Structures are given as C-alpha cells and as structure tokens.
mmCIF file of all heavy atoms in Angstrom:
data_model
loop_
_atom_site.group_PDB
_atom_site.id
_atom_site.type_symbol
_atom_site.label_atom_id
_atom_site.label_comp_id
_atom_site.label_asym_id
_atom_site.label_seq_id
_atom_site.Cartn_x
_atom_site.Cartn_y
_atom_site.Cartn_z
ATOM 1 N N ALA A 4 0.828 -1.204 0.000
ATOM 2 C CA ALA A 4 0.000 0.000 0.000
ATOM 3 C C ALA A 4 0.865 1.257 0.000
ATOM 4 O O ALA A 4 0.533 2.247 -0.668
ATOM 5 C CB ALA A 4 -0.929 -0.006 1.208
ATOM 6 N N LEU A 5 1.979 1.239 0.722
ATOM 7 C CA LEU A 5 2.877 2.394 0.719
ATOM 8 C C LEU A 5 3.492 2.617 -0.658
ATOM 9 O O LEU A 5 3.739 3.751 -1.050
ATOM 10 C CB LEU A 5 3.991 2.201 1.748
ATOM 11 C CG LEU A 5 3.582 2.255 3.212
ATOM 12 C CD1 LEU A 5 4.800 2.054 4.102
ATOM 13 C CD2 LEU A 5 2.893 3.563 3.554
ATOM 14 N N ASP A 6 3.706 1.541 -1.402
ATOM 15 C CA ASP A 6 4.265 1.644 -2.752
ATOM 16 C C ASP A 6 3.203 1.917 -3.810
ATOM 17 O O ASP A 6 3.523 2.027 -4.986
ATOM 18 C CB ASP A 6 5.010 0.363 -3.120
ATOM 19 C CG ASP A 6 6.287 0.183 -2.316
ATOM 20 O OD1 ASP A 6 6.786 1.174 -1.753
ATOM 21 O OD2 ASP A 6 6.789 -0.957 -2.256
ATOM 22 N N GLY A 7 1.940 1.990 -3.399
ATOM 23 C CA GLY A 7 0.855 2.253 -4.334
ATOM 24 C C GLY A 7 0.399 1.031 -5.108
ATOM 25 O O GLY A 7 -0.263 1.157 -6.137
ATOM 26 N N LEU A 8 0.717 -0.167 -4.608
ATOM 27 C CA LEU A 8 0.350 -1.403 -5.294
ATOM 28 C C LEU A 8 -0.838 -2.113 -4.654
ATOM 29 O O LEU A 8 -1.233 -3.179 -5.114
ATOM 30 C CB LEU A 8 1.555 -2.361 -5.308
ATOM 31 C CG LEU A 8 2.814 -1.810 -5.973
ATOM 32 C CD1 LEU A 8 3.983 -2.752 -5.745
ATOM 33 C CD2 LEU A 8 2.567 -1.599 -7.454
ATOM 34 N N PHE A 9 -1.382 -1.550 -3.596
ATOM 35 C CA PHE A 9 -2.506 -2.154 -2.880
ATOM 36 C C PHE A 9 -3.405 -1.025 -2.408
ATOM 37 O O PHE A 9 -3.088 0.151 -2.565
ATOM 38 C CB PHE A 9 -1.967 -2.987 -1.703
ATOM 39 C CG PHE A 9 -2.920 -4.023 -1.183
ATOM 40 C CD1 PHE A 9 -3.312 -5.073 -1.979
ATOM 41 C CD2 PHE A 9 -3.417 -3.948 0.103
ATOM 42 C CE1 PHE A 9 -4.179 -6.039 -1.501
ATOM 43 C CE2 PHE A 9 -4.279 -4.907 0.599
ATOM 44 C CZ PHE A 9 -4.659 -5.954 -0.214
ATOM 45 N N PHE A 10 -4.532 -1.349 -1.820
ATOM 46 C CA PHE A 10 -5.481 -0.343 -1.359
ATOM 47 C C PHE A 10 -4.811 0.634 -0.387
ATOM 48 O O PHE A 10 -4.131 0.221 0.547
ATOM 49 C CB PHE A 10 -6.679 -1.008 -0.691
ATOM 50 C CG PHE A 10 -7.364 -2.010 -1.563
ATOM 51 C CD1 PHE A 10 -7.345 -3.355 -1.251
ATOM 52 C CD2 PHE A 10 -8.019 -1.612 -2.719
ATOM 53 C CE1 PHE A 10 -7.968 -4.281 -2.063
ATOM 54 C CE2 PHE A 10 -8.646 -2.524 -3.538
ATOM 55 C CZ PHE A 10 -8.621 -3.867 -3.211
ATOM 56 N N LYS A 11 -5.017 1.918 -0.611
ATOM 57 C CA LYS A 11 -4.363 2.965 0.173
ATOM 58 C C LYS A 11 -4.616 2.856 1.684
ATOM 59 O O LYS A 11 -3.699 3.070 2.474
ATOM 60 C CB LYS A 11 -4.783 4.331 -0.353
ATOM 61 C CG LYS A 11 -3.887 5.435 0.086
ATOM 62 C CD LYS A 11 -4.231 6.717 -0.644
ATOM 63 C CE LYS A 11 -3.202 7.769 -0.301
ATOM 64 N NZ LYS A 11 -3.366 8.972 -1.092
ATOM 65 N N PRO A 12 -5.828 2.529 2.142
ATOM 66 C CA PRO A 12 -6.052 2.432 3.593
ATOM 67 C C PRO A 12 -5.187 1.369 4.283
ATOM 68 O O PRO A 12 -4.916 1.470 5.476
ATOM 69 C CB PRO A 12 -7.535 2.066 3.718
ATOM 70 C CG PRO A 12 -8.148 2.543 2.452
ATOM 71 C CD PRO A 12 -7.095 2.402 1.403
ATOM 72 N N ALA A 13 -4.734 0.377 3.540
ATOM 73 C CA ALA A 13 -3.892 -0.668 4.144
ATOM 74 C C ALA A 13 -2.514 -0.134 4.505
ATOM 75 O O ALA A 13 -1.776 -0.780 5.244
ATOM 76 C CB ALA A 13 -3.760 -1.852 3.187
ATOM 77 N N GLY A 14 -2.179 1.049 4.043
ATOM 78 C CA GLY A 14 -0.886 1.642 4.336
ATOM 79 C C GLY A 14 -0.866 2.550 5.541
ATOM 80 O O GLY A 14 0.114 3.253 5.772
ATOM 81 N N LYS A 15 -1.921 2.552 6.329
ATOM 82 C CA LYS A 15 -1.979 3.407 7.512
ATOM 83 C C LYS A 15 -1.681 2.596 8.767
ATOM 84 O O LYS A 15 -2.108 1.454 8.896
ATOM 85 C CB LYS A 15 -3.356 4.049 7.634
ATOM 86 C CG LYS A 15 -3.661 5.011 6.517
ATOM 87 C CD LYS A 15 -5.017 5.645 6.682
ATOM 88 C CE LYS A 15 -5.285 6.574 5.508
ATOM 89 N NZ LYS A 15 -6.630 7.137 5.568
ATOM 90 N N LEU A 16 -0.964 3.228 9.697
ATOM 91 C CA LEU A 16 -0.653 2.593 10.976
ATOM 92 C C LEU A 16 -1.620 3.052 12.049
ATOM 93 O O LEU A 16 -2.088 4.192 12.033
ATOM 94 C CB LEU A 16 0.771 2.939 11.412
ATOM 95 C CG LEU A 16 1.913 2.371 10.585
ATOM 96 C CD1 LEU A 16 3.232 2.886 11.112
ATOM 97 C CD2 LEU A 16 1.877 0.861 10.582
ATOM 98 N N ASP A 17 -1.903 2.171 12.993
ATOM 99 C CA ASP A 17 -2.701 2.528 14.163
ATOM 100 C C ASP A 17 -1.899 3.548 14.976
ATOM 101 O O ASP A 17 -0.721 3.320 15.261
ATOM 102 C CB ASP A 17 -2.975 1.271 14.997
ATOM 103 C CG ASP A 17 -3.819 1.571 16.202
ATOM 104 O OD1 ASP A 17 -5.054 1.585 16.072
ATOM 105 O OD2 ASP A 17 -3.229 1.790 17.283
ATOM 106 N N PRO A 18 -2.503 4.675 15.340
ATOM 107 C CA PRO A 18 -1.731 5.721 16.033
ATOM 108 C C PRO A 18 -1.244 5.311 17.420
ATOM 109 O O PRO A 18 -0.216 5.799 17.869
ATOM 110 C CB PRO A 18 -2.708 6.898 16.109
ATOM 111 C CG PRO A 18 -4.052 6.318 15.907
ATOM 112 C CD PRO A 18 -3.880 5.074 15.095
ATOM 113 N N VAL A 19 -1.936 4.423 18.080
ATOM 114 C CA VAL A 19 -1.548 4.034 19.436
ATOM 115 C C VAL A 19 -0.533 2.895 19.418
ATOM 116 O O VAL A 19 0.519 2.959 20.053
ATOM 117 C CB VAL A 19 -2.792 3.625 20.264
ATOM 118 C CG1 VAL A 19 -2.389 3.118 21.638
ATOM 119 C CG2 VAL A 19 -3.753 4.785 20.370
ATOM 120 N N HIS A 20 -0.841 1.828 18.677
ATOM 121 C CA HIS A 20 -0.016 0.624 18.706
ATOM 122 C C HIS A 20 1.043 0.572 17.601
ATOM 123 O O HIS A 20 1.890 -0.314 17.615
ATOM 124 C CB HIS A 20 -0.907 -0.615 18.607
ATOM 125 C CG HIS A 20 -1.929 -0.687 19.683
ATOM 126 N ND1 HIS A 20 -1.605 -0.942 21.004
ATOM 127 C CD2 HIS A 20 -3.265 -0.509 19.661
ATOM 128 C CE1 HIS A 20 -2.696 -0.937 21.730
ATOM 129 N NE2 HIS A 20 -3.725 -0.663 20.940
ATOM 130 N N ARG A 21 0.947 1.486 16.628
ATOM 131 C CA ARG A 21 1.882 1.541 15.501
ATOM 132 C C ARG A 21 1.916 0.228 14.723
ATOM 133 O O ARG A 21 2.957 -0.247 14.299
ATOM 134 C CB ARG A 21 3.294 1.911 15.974
ATOM 135 C CG ARG A 21 3.416 3.163 16.799
ATOM 136 C CD ARG A 21 3.400 4.434 16.038
ATOM 137 N NE ARG A 21 4.467 4.440 15.037
ATOM 138 C CZ ARG A 21 4.412 5.148 13.938
ATOM 139 N NH1 ARG A 21 3.380 5.902 13.692
ATOM 140 N NH2 ARG A 21 5.383 5.127 13.055
ATOM 141 N N THR A 22 0.748 -0.375 14.548
ATOM 142 C CA THR A 22 0.605 -1.599 13.766
ATOM 143 C C THR A 22 -0.293 -1.312 12.565
ATOM 144 O O THR A 22 -1.160 -0.439 12.623
ATOM 145 C CB THR A 22 -0.033 -2.724 14.600
ATOM 146 O OG1 THR A 22 -1.300 -2.273 15.096
ATOM 147 C CG2 THR A 22 0.866 -3.121 15.761
ATOM 148 N N PRO A 23 -0.117 -2.052 11.489
ATOM 149 C CA PRO A 23 -0.993 -1.856 10.326
ATOM 150 C C PRO A 23 -2.341 -2.549 10.555
ATOM 151 O O PRO A 23 -2.594 -3.652 10.079
ATOM 152 C CB PRO A 23 -0.201 -2.495 9.186
ATOM 153 C CG PRO A 23 0.633 -3.536 9.848
ATOM 154 C CD PRO A 23 0.958 -2.998 11.208
ATOM 155 N N ALA A 24 -3.224 -1.875 11.281
ATOM 156 C CA ALA A 24 -4.494 -2.480 11.699
ATOM 157 C C ALA A 24 -5.363 -2.864 10.506
ATOM 158 O O ALA A 24 -5.954 -3.948 10.488
ATOM 159 C CB ALA A 24 -5.248 -1.529 12.624
ATOM 160 N N VAL A 25 -5.456 -2.001 9.503
ATOM 161 C CA VAL A 25 -6.281 -2.307 8.327
ATOM 162 C C VAL A 25 -5.708 -3.513 7.595
ATOM 163 O O VAL A 25 -6.443 -4.398 7.162
ATOM 164 C CB VAL A 25 -6.374 -1.080 7.395
ATOM 165 C CG1 VAL A 25 -7.122 -1.419 6.130
ATOM 166 C CG2 VAL A 25 -7.038 0.081 8.113
ATOM 167 N N SER A 26 -4.387 -3.582 7.489
ATOM 168 C CA SER A 26 -3.753 -4.720 6.832
ATOM 169 C C SER A 26 -3.998 -6.014 7.594
ATOM 170 O O SER A 26 -4.166 -7.072 6.995
ATOM 171 C CB SER A 26 -2.247 -4.495 6.706
ATOM 172 O OG SER A 26 -1.982 -3.409 5.866
ATOM 173 N N LEU A 27 -4.030 -5.934 8.923
ATOM 174 C CA LEU A 27 -4.323 -7.128 9.720
ATOM 175 C C LEU A 27 -5.752 -7.613 9.478
ATOM 176 O O LEU A 27 -6.005 -8.819 9.403
ATOM 177 C CB LEU A 27 -4.098 -6.840 11.206
ATOM 178 C CG LEU A 27 -2.641 -6.749 11.632
ATOM 179 C CD1 LEU A 27 -2.540 -6.173 13.036
ATOM 180 C CD2 LEU A 27 -1.980 -8.104 11.550
ATOM 181 N N VAL A 28 -6.681 -6.674 9.339
ATOM 182 C CA VAL A 28 -8.063 -7.049 9.044
ATOM 183 C C VAL A 28 -8.155 -7.681 7.651
ATOM 184 O O VAL A 28 -8.831 -8.698 7.462
ATOM 185 C CB VAL A 28 -9.002 -5.827 9.172
ATOM 186 C CG1 VAL A 28 -10.396 -6.154 8.669
ATOM 187 C CG2 VAL A 28 -9.049 -5.353 10.607
ATOM 188 N N VAL A 29 -7.464 -7.090 6.686
ATOM 189 C CA VAL A 29 -7.458 -7.656 5.332
ATOM 190 C C VAL A 29 -6.873 -9.062 5.362
ATOM 191 O O VAL A 29 -7.409 -9.986 4.741
ATOM 192 C CB VAL A 29 -6.659 -6.744 4.368
ATOM 193 C CG1 VAL A 29 -6.426 -7.428 3.033
ATOM 194 C CG2 VAL A 29 -7.378 -5.425 4.175
ATOM 195 N N GLN A 30 -5.782 -9.245 6.109
ATOM 196 C CA GLN A 30 -5.167 -10.566 6.234
ATOM 197 C C GLN A 30 -6.132 -11.557 6.876
ATOM 198 O O GLN A 30 -6.228 -12.711 6.456
ATOM 199 C CB GLN A 30 -3.885 -10.461 7.054
ATOM 200 C CG GLN A 30 -3.171 -11.754 7.283
ATOM 201 C CD GLN A 30 -2.476 -12.284 6.056
ATOM 202 O OE1 GLN A 30 -2.293 -11.580 5.081
ATOM 203 N NE2 GLN A 30 -2.105 -13.533 6.096
ATOM 204 N N CYS A 31 -6.862 -11.122 7.876
ATOM 205 C CA CYS A 31 -7.832 -11.988 8.547
ATOM 206 C C CYS A 31 -8.950 -12.405 7.595
ATOM 207 O O CYS A 31 -9.317 -13.582 7.534
ATOM 208 C CB CYS A 31 -8.400 -11.268 9.765
ATOM 209 S SG CYS A 31 -9.684 -12.196 10.617
ATOM 210 N N VAL A 32 -9.482 -11.447 6.853
ATOM 211 C CA VAL A 32 -10.556 -11.752 5.895
ATOM 212 C C VAL A 32 -10.059 -12.722 4.822
ATOM 213 O O VAL A 32 -10.734 -13.695 4.486
ATOM 214 C CB VAL A 32 -11.111 -10.450 5.271
ATOM 215 C CG1 VAL A 32 -12.027 -10.744 4.103
ATOM 216 C CG2 VAL A 32 -11.825 -9.625 6.327
ATOM 217 N N TRP A 33 -8.852 -12.465 4.311
ATOM 218 C CA TRP A 33 -8.288 -13.342 3.282
ATOM 219 C C TRP A 33 -8.075 -14.751 3.821
ATOM 220 O O TRP A 33 -8.384 -15.740 3.156
ATOM 221 C CB TRP A 33 -6.989 -12.749 2.757
ATOM 222 C CG TRP A 33 -6.367 -13.549 1.658
ATOM 223 C CD1 TRP A 33 -5.184 -14.193 1.701
ATOM 224 C CD2 TRP A 33 -6.915 -13.815 0.366
ATOM 225 N NE1 TRP A 33 -4.949 -14.831 0.516
ATOM 226 C CE2 TRP A 33 -6.000 -14.610 -0.324
ATOM 227 C CE3 TRP A 33 -8.093 -13.440 -0.282
ATOM 228 C CZ2 TRP A 33 -6.213 -15.053 -1.626
ATOM 229 C CZ3 TRP A 33 -8.306 -13.882 -1.575
ATOM 230 C CH2 TRP A 33 -7.382 -14.673 -2.230
ATOM 231 N N ALA A 34 -7.569 -14.877 5.031
ATOM 232 C CA ALA A 34 -7.364 -16.194 5.638
ATOM 233 C C ALA A 34 -8.691 -16.916 5.846
ATOM 234 O O ALA A 34 -8.796 -18.128 5.610
ATOM 235 C CB ALA A 34 -6.620 -16.054 6.953
ATOM 236 N N CYS A 35 -9.716 -16.172 6.268
ATOM 237 C CA CYS A 35 -11.040 -16.790 6.449
ATOM 238 C C CYS A 35 -11.606 -17.275 5.119
ATOM 239 O O CYS A 35 -12.155 -18.381 5.044
ATOM 240 C CB CYS A 35 -11.998 -15.803 7.108
ATOM 241 S SG CYS A 35 -11.613 -15.441 8.822
ATOM 242 N N LEU A 36 -11.454 -16.479 4.073
ATOM 243 C CA LEU A 36 -11.936 -16.899 2.752
ATOM 244 C C LEU A 36 -11.200 -18.145 2.260
ATOM 245 O O LEU A 36 -11.828 -19.076 1.736
ATOM 246 C CB LEU A 36 -11.782 -15.766 1.745
ATOM 247 C CG LEU A 36 -12.751 -14.605 1.894
ATOM 248 C CD1 LEU A 36 -12.372 -13.482 0.931
ATOM 249 C CD2 LEU A 36 -14.179 -15.065 1.633
#
C-alpha cells in the first residue's frame, strides 16, 4: 500500500499501537476466505 500497489487504507498505521491495523483485518478476511 505504501508503494501504491494495494489499497491505500492498508498503508496506515494505528496511532496508538503503531501496527498496520487495516492490513491485519485484510489478512484476517483473506485467511477466512
């Protein structure tokens, strides 16, 4: 996402934990599928 090759929201970090929260959700959805 930072390189512009994936959805832009996946390139944002959680302000408190400094983790890619949106990317973790995307990973979870993909794993469930």
